[in-house]
Amino acid sequence: MSEIGPRSLLDELARCMRCGFCQAVCPIYREEGTEFSVARGKLILIEALADGRLAPTPEVEKAIGLCLVCKSCKASCPSGVRTDLIMAMAREMLNQSRGRGLAKTAILKVAGDRRAAAGLAGLGGLFWRVAFAGPPTAGGLWRLRLPTGHYYPRPSGRSLTSGLRRRERRGVIGTADRRTNSLSFTPTGAQGEVLLWLGCLVNYMLPSLGLAAIDVLLAAKIRVVVGIDEGCCGMPRYVNGEISGTAQTARRNLDWLARVRGQGSQVASGSPLLFVCPSCAEAWKTYPELLQGREKEAAKTAAAAVVDVSTFLCRGAGDWRRLLREPPSSSPLTVTYHDPCHLAQAQGVRQDPRTLIAAIPGARFQEMSEPAGCCGSGGTFALFNAATARKIGQRKAKAIIATGAGLVATGCPACRLQLAQELVVAGHFVSVRHTVEVLAQALGWGDR
Amino acid sequence: MDKGRQVVAELRRLCPWGQVFSGDLTLVYAEDATPGLGGEAPLAVVRPGTREEVAAVVGFCAEGGFGVIPRGAGTSLSGGVVARKDAVVLALNGLSRVIEVDEANLTATAEPGVVTAQLHKMVEERGLFYPPDPGSMAVSTLGGNVAEGAGGLRGLKYGVTRDYIMGLEMVTGEGRVARFGGKTVKNVSGYDFLRLMVGSEGTLGVITEITVRLLPLPEARRAVLAVFETIDSAAAAVAGIVADKVVPATLELLDNLTIRAVEAYSACGLPTEAGAVVLIEVDGAPESVAREGERVVRACRAVGASDVRVATESGERDKIWAARRTAVSALARVRPTIFLEDATVPRSRIPEMVRAVERIAKKHDLPIGTFGHAGDGNLHPTILTDRRDPEEMKRAEAAVADIFAAALGLGGTLTGEHGIGLAKRPFMMAQFGPVGIDLLRRVKTALDPRGVLNPGKVLPPASEGGSR
């Protein structure tokens, strides 16, 4: 269990002075209003569990599980309580004493194993009609055959990257490198290079988002290198308390990075590690906490290279923005933006996506009320706490609808799925796209 | 155990619109933001969905002899809502409707669970102003503010919660409903119950509706940050500003320890090398704000401020005040357990109080950060310790006793705005004497004959004397 153990759990817990300021930002407290739904109350429960005053009953476990790990409380905590870390450690403690239950075990198994993930995606592609009910909604979502009312895009059956070999994007052919298990797209006159981490949601559920990211980067004359079936970042395992399992994932990913950047490869050691999924980015940033010695140093170097795609596009040369075209429709396109918790709260990226959207000619930007309010997705949270997630999601859907926007952009694939679903439930069609998809679309308008 | 289950079943029956919790989860309602008081998990937690349910629950508890602990956001700094195992916690944050904002009468009427900052936002959108702004206003509830007699940063010019309460509906200790006051500016019918209820800390009644007085929103504001090499010269600046007949809305002092803690959290540009800073805000009509701003700057320079900055942009100003509001919690970065006191002295004695606190810190070998509402004499000496070190906790308690003695010796009071709760109860006799305590007890008995409302708070135990 390395340096994270019961002793340090109590140390982390001691930082909380019980001021209760987390009530102001917790999306769950806002809906539930109970003291055990907010960080302060959960920390009291966790402390009592850790020092043996409380037994891990299902009731207590459920209360501790009712957390989106959105990190809003951490971001606004004046005392510096690291709730995300505490939550991971507490769930590890609970896993050890009670086990995880079948559904979570299965999800974490898939998340921890690249072949299992590819296998499940394949099965999903074959048997999706069993799991989903039609007809599809206006946005092309299918209803999951569960009473929870979840809507998802139709699974494609295979990962984005496995289908991308020798394919052409914006006139550039992708070349695979078996040794490093990666694909690269090198535009003529490349002015920079990035390693693009796609993440499982993009790889298996939202391939168009990944393609959009590649297209925009190529338009900006950036060489793009992606891993083939890169595997999981570790975030699902981490938030569910599989801390030592996450360390294994971290090692595997750092090994891959070392190979891609190693001798004989054509990837510069200083090129940024780019993310379209802020939760994956956050996972990479926790690697240094999980490892020791040389591995820790490597993890720190990798964490320092982590950049969100919107920040990278904003900071770099802006010539490519001249290629953005006005939307073809006669009526003006109104766009609003939802701040993902793991991008805005955790990484402080708020302005960059807005700046990019504002660069699209003819697009009118309309801020929604509380743009940084959580969407209620929280990874697997929405699956296991459907009722609370729905309340949070519907509040968000209302805020989006109130702007009158025809398109809502966001910087996170999980938020993108959740927002699309909540808008379907709210009975109001608004397109939901990742920031890079909006940009790719605006570049495409010029082509036609 | 069976009896406990019966009680819960009956509470559920009485609260069809609310929620009732029992068992392990009630532990989270044992404590508030006060350290070292060791609360217990209550018998049950009730979150009533209607006011009628509040009266029903209090009536049921009075009959059965269970204590009732009314609770808002649980941010009390005196142990006001610390629970015990034979009592029911009445969590009122679900009653959170603003019933009316009356622009003709300049009043707002709200349920007790409305969050203070949300009321601010709502009335300010209409060009109105509810001045009381306790440090925890982002989460604290209006009901909690009234029960604790909360103050805030704007106390110097605008007064405190007490000065804005025009009407109350309350449930007595027997579960009966009474209303006092209303929307009239003048009202001398009967005894002044409103003043009695404000600061009663849930021991005299459960507040279920509040009508507050509103003001027009000041047209202009200007914030000034003055930097001093020593806390003594900062205290002199505070005295100098008031002596110059300027009454700023806020006049806050932060010592070096507090500056560093706040800056570590907020990075809002406070000078971490300074001995102390004074934060001042003047508000009102634009002409008078400009004039008073000048005079404040001059007064600070006159006592040797090393730097005086005027915040021109509202974003910059908001950032400074938001940072100031986190001072308590930010100090918890230095050491995790915080004894935040609010012993208050007449404002002319502030420099003496500052020196007394420095002496006490040395005597007990403890870091004490001092910040607070210097302009109204309400400083917050804050002892930084660690609850895991029992020996240090003992020293901290001794230091707290010394701070109280110093404040009372300077003609002050135990608490300016946080209340007595559990934490300051042992010092009540020193402030009131046997006759005063006897009168307080008689009031309590009249309103709560069975002694079920927030039992064990405010009044000292009978063993300390003062009874009839």
Side-chain angles (χ1 to χ4, degrees), chain B residues 350-377:
Chain B
I350 279 281
E352 288 165 81
M353 188 64 195
V354 167
R355 281 193 290 273
V357 170
E358 279 177 347
R359 263 199 314 277
I360 293 165
K362 255 193 214 118
K363 178 179 160 197
H364 297 281
D365 187 25
L366 287 164
I368 303 187
T370 295
F371 66 94
H373 324 304
D376 57 28

CSV table of all heavy atoms in Angstrom, one decimal, chain B residues 350-377:
chain,number,residue,atom,x,y,z
B,350,ILE,N,-8.9,48.4,22.1
B,350,ILE,CA,-8.3,47.4,21.1
B,350,ILE,C,-6.8,47.3,21.3
B,350,ILE,O,-6.2,46.2,21.4
B,350,ILE,CB,-8.7,47.8,19.7
B,350,ILE,CG1,-10.1,47.3,19.4
B,350,ILE,CG2,-7.7,47.2,18.7
B,350,ILE,CD1,-10.2,45.8,19.1
B,351,PRO,N,-6.0,48.4,21.3
B,351,PRO,CA,-4.5,48.3,21.4
B,351,PRO,C,-4.2,47.5,22.7
B,351,PRO,O,-3.3,46.6,22.6
B,351,PRO,CB,-4.0,49.7,21.5
B,351,PRO,CG,-5.1,50.5,20.8
B,351,PRO,CD,-6.4,49.8,21.1
B,352,GLU,N,-4.9,47.7,23.8
B,352,GLU,CA,-4.6,47.0,25.0
B,352,GLU,C,-4.9,45.5,24.9
B,352,GLU,O,-4.1,44.6,25.4
B,352,GLU,CB,-5.4,47.5,26.2
B,352,GLU,CG,-4.9,48.9,26.7
B,352,GLU,CD,-6.0,49.5,27.6
B,352,GLU,OE1,-6.1,49.1,28.8
B,352,GLU,OE2,-6.8,50.3,27.1
B,353,MET,N,-6.0,45.2,24.2
B,353,MET,CA,-6.4,43.8,24.0
B,353,MET,C,-5.4,43.1,23.1
B,353,MET,O,-5.0,41.9,23.4
B,353,MET,CB,-7.8,43.8,23.4
B,353,MET,CG,-8.4,42.4,23.3
B,353,MET,SD,-8.7,41.7,25.0
B,353,MET,CE,-9.0,40.0,24.5
B,354,VAL,N,-4.9,43.8,22.1
B,354,VAL,CA,-3.9,43.2,21.2
B,354,VAL,C,-2.7,42.8,22.0
B,354,VAL,O,-2.1,41.7,21.9
B,354,VAL,CB,-3.5,44.1,20.1
B,354,VAL,CG1,-2.3,43.7,19.3
B,354,VAL,CG2,-4.7,44.2,19.1
B,355,ARG,N,-2.2,43.7,22.9
B,355,ARG,CA,-1.0,43.4,23.7
B,355,ARG,C,-1.3,42.3,24.7
B,355,ARG,O,-0.4,41.4,24.9
B,355,ARG,CB,-0.6,44.7,24.4
B,355,ARG,CG,0.2,45.6,23.5
B,355,ARG,CD,0.9,46.7,24.3
B,355,ARG,NE,-0.1,47.7,24.9
B,355,ARG,CZ,-0.5,48.8,24.2
B,355,ARG,NH1,-0.1,49.0,23.0
B,355,ARG,NH2,-1.3,49.6,24.8
B,356,ALA,N,-2.5,42.2,25.3
B,356,ALA,CA,-2.8,41.2,26.2
B,356,ALA,C,-2.8,39.8,25.5
B,356,ALA,O,-2.2,38.8,26.0
B,356,ALA,CB,-4.2,41.4,26.8
B,357,VAL,N,-3.3,39.8,24.3
B,357,VAL,CA,-3.2,38.5,23.5
B,357,VAL,C,-1.8,38.1,23.2
B,357,VAL,O,-1.4,36.9,23.4
B,357,VAL,CB,-4.1,38.6,22.2
B,357,VAL,CG1,-3.8,37.4,21.3
B,357,VAL,CG2,-5.5,38.8,22.5
B,358,GLU,N,-0.9,39.0,22.9
B,358,GLU,CA,0.5,38.7,22.7
B,358,GLU,C,1.1,38.1,23.9
B,358,GLU,O,1.9,37.1,23.9
B,358,GLU,CB,1.2,39.9,22.2
B,358,GLU,CG,1.0,40.2,20.7
B,358,GLU,CD,1.7,41.5,20.3
B,358,GLU,OE1,2.2,42.3,21.1
B,358,GLU,OE2,1.8,41.7,19.0
B,359,ARG,N,0.8,38.7,25.1
B,359,ARG,CA,1.3,38.2,26.4
B,359,ARG,C,0.8,36.8,26.6
B,359,ARG,O,1.6,35.9,27.0
B,359,ARG,CB,0.8,39.1,27.5
B,359,ARG,CG,1.8,40.1,27.9
B,359,ARG,CD,1.5,40.7,29.3
B,359,ARG,NE,0.1,41.0,29.6
B,359,ARG,CZ,-0.5,42.1,29.2
B,359,ARG,NH1,0.2,43.1,28.6
B,359,ARG,NH2,-1.8,42.3,29.4
B,360,ILE,N,-0.5,36.5,26.4
B,360,ILE,CA,-1.0,35.2,26.6
B,360,ILE,C,-0.4,34.1,25.7
B,360,ILE,O,-0.1,33.0,26.1
B,360,ILE,CB,-2.6,35.2,26.4
B,360,ILE,CG1,-3.2,36.1,27.5
B,360,ILE,CG2,-3.2,33.8,26.5
B,360,ILE,CD1,-4.6,36.5,27.3
B,361,ALA,N,-0.1,34.5,24.5
B,361,ALA,CA,0.5,33.6,23.5
B,361,ALA,C,1.9,33.2,24.0
B,361,ALA,O,2.2,32.0,24.0
B,361,ALA,CB,0.6,34.2,22.1
B,362,LYS,N,2.6,34.2,24.6
B,362,LYS,CA,4.0,33.9,25.1
B,362,LYS,C,3.9,33.0,26.3
B,362,LYS,O,4.6,32.0,26.5
B,362,LYS,CB,4.7,35.2,25.4
B,362,LYS,CG,5.7,35.5,24.4
B,362,LYS,CD,6.7,36.6,24.8
B,362,LYS,CE,7.0,37.4,23.5
B,362,LYS,NZ,6.6,38.8,23.6
B,363,LYS,N,3.0,33.4,27.2
B,363,LYS,CA,2.8,32.7,28.5
B,363,LYS,C,2.5,31.2,28.3
B,363,LYS,O,3.1,30.3,28.9
B,363,LYS,CB,1.7,33.3,29.3
B,363,LYS,CG,1.4,32.6,30.6
B,363,LYS,CD,0.3,33.3,31.4
B,363,LYS,CE,-0.4,32.4,32.4
B,363,LYS,NZ,-1.7,32.9,32.9
B,364,HIS,N,1.7,30.8,27.3
B,364,HIS,CA,1.3,29.5,27.1
B,364,HIS,C,2.0,28.8,26.0
B,364,HIS,O,1.7,27.7,25.6
B,364,HIS,CB,-0.2,29.4,26.9
B,364,HIS,CG,-1.0,29.8,28.1
B,364,HIS,ND1,-1.2,29.0,29.2
B,364,HIS,CD2,-1.6,31.0,28.3
B,364,HIS,CE1,-2.0,29.7,30.1
B,364,HIS,NE2,-2.2,30.9,29.6
B,365,ASP,N,3.0,29.5,25.4
B,365,ASP,CA,3.8,29.0,24.3
B,365,ASP,C,2.9,28.4,23.2
B,365,ASP,O,3.1,27.3,22.8
B,365,ASP,CB,4.8,27.9,24.9
B,365,ASP,CG,5.8,27.5,23.8
B,365,ASP,OD1,6.0,28.3,22.9
B,365,ASP,OD2,6.3,26.4,23.9
B,366,LEU,N,2.0,29.3,22.7
B,366,LEU,CA,1.1,28.8,21.6
B,366,LEU,C,1.1,29.9,20.5
B,366,LEU,O,1.1,31.1,20.8
B,366,LEU,CB,-0.3,28.7,22.1
B,366,LEU,CG,-0.6,27.5,23.1
B,366,LEU,CD1,-1.9,27.7,23.8
B,366,LEU,CD2,-0.7,26.2,22.3
B,367,PRO,N,1.0,29.4,19.2
B,367,PRO,CA,0.8,30.4,18.2
B,367,PRO,C,-0.7,31.0,18.3
B,367,PRO,O,-1.6,30.2,18.3
B,367,PRO,CB,1.0,29.7,16.9
B,367,PRO,CG,0.9,28.2,17.3
B,367,PRO,CD,1.1,28.1,18.7
B,368,ILE,N,-0.8,32.3,18.3
B,368,ILE,CA,-2.2,32.9,18.3
B,368,ILE,C,-2.2,33.9,17.2
B,368,ILE,O,-1.4,34.8,17.2
B,368,ILE,CB,-2.5,33.6,19.6
B,368,ILE,CG1,-2.4,32.6,20.8
B,368,ILE,CG2,-3.9,34.1,19.6
B,368,ILE,CD1,-2.9,33.1,22.2
B,369,GLY,N,-3.1,33.6,16.2
B,369,GLY,CA,-3.3,34.5,15.1
B,369,GLY,C,-4.4,35.5,15.5
B,369,GLY,O,-5.3,35.1,16.2
B,370,THR,N,-4.2,36.8,15.2
B,370,THR,CA,-5.2,37.7,15.6
B,370,THR,C,-5.7,38.4,14.3
B,370,THR,O,-4.9,39.0,13.5
B,370,THR,CB,-4.7,38.8,16.6
B,370,THR,OG1,-4.4,38.1,17.8
B,370,THR,CG2,-5.7,39.8,16.9
B,371,PHE,N,-7.0,38.4,14.1
B,371,PHE,CA,-7.6,39.2,13.0
B,371,PHE,C,-9.0,39.5,13.5
B,371,PHE,O,-9.4,39.1,14.5
B,371,PHE,CB,-7.6,38.3,11.8
B,371,PHE,CG,-8.6,37.1,11.9
B,371,PHE,CD1,-9.9,37.2,11.4
B,371,PHE,CD2,-8.2,35.9,12.4
B,371,PHE,CE1,-10.7,36.1,11.5
B,371,PHE,CE2,-9.0,34.9,12.6
B,371,PHE,CZ,-10.3,35.0,12.1
B,372,GLY,N,-9.7,40.3,12.7
B,372,GLY,CA,-11.1,40.5,13.0
B,372,GLY,C,-11.5,41.9,12.8
B,372,GLY,O,-10.8,42.8,12.2
B,373,HIS,N,-12.7,42.2,13.4
B,373,HIS,CA,-13.4,43.4,13.2
B,373,HIS,C,-12.9,44.5,14.2
B,373,HIS,O,-13.6,44.9,15.1
B,373,HIS,CB,-14.9,43.1,13.4
B,373,HIS,CG,-15.3,41.8,12.9
B,373,HIS,ND1,-15.0,41.4,11.6
B,373,HIS,CD2,-15.9,40.7,13.5
B,373,HIS,CE1,-15.5,40.1,11.4
B,373,HIS,NE2,-16.0,39.7,12.6
B,374,ALA,N,-11.7,44.9,13.9
B,374,ALA,CA,-11.0,45.9,14.9
B,374,ALA,C,-11.9,47.1,15.0
B,374,ALA,O,-11.9,47.7,16.1
B,374,ALA,CB,-9.7,46.2,14.3
B,375,GLY,N,-12.6,47.5,14.0
B,375,GLY,CA,-13.4,48.7,14.1
B,375,GLY,C,-14.5,48.7,15.1
B,375,GLY,O,-14.8,49.7,15.7
B,376,ASP,N,-15.0,47.5,15.4
B,376,ASP,CA,-16.1,47.5,16.4
B,376,ASP,C,-15.6,46.8,17.7
B,376,ASP,O,-16.4,46.4,18.5
B,376,ASP,CB,-17.3,46.9,15.8
B,376,ASP,CG,-17.1,45.5,15.3
B,376,ASP,OD1,-16.2,44.8,15.7
B,376,ASP,OD2,-17.9,45.1,14.4
B,377,GLY,N,-14.3,46.6,17.9
B,377,GLY,CA,-13.8,46.0,19.1
B,377,GLY,C,-13.8,44.5,19.2
B,377,GLY,O,-13.5,43.9,20.2
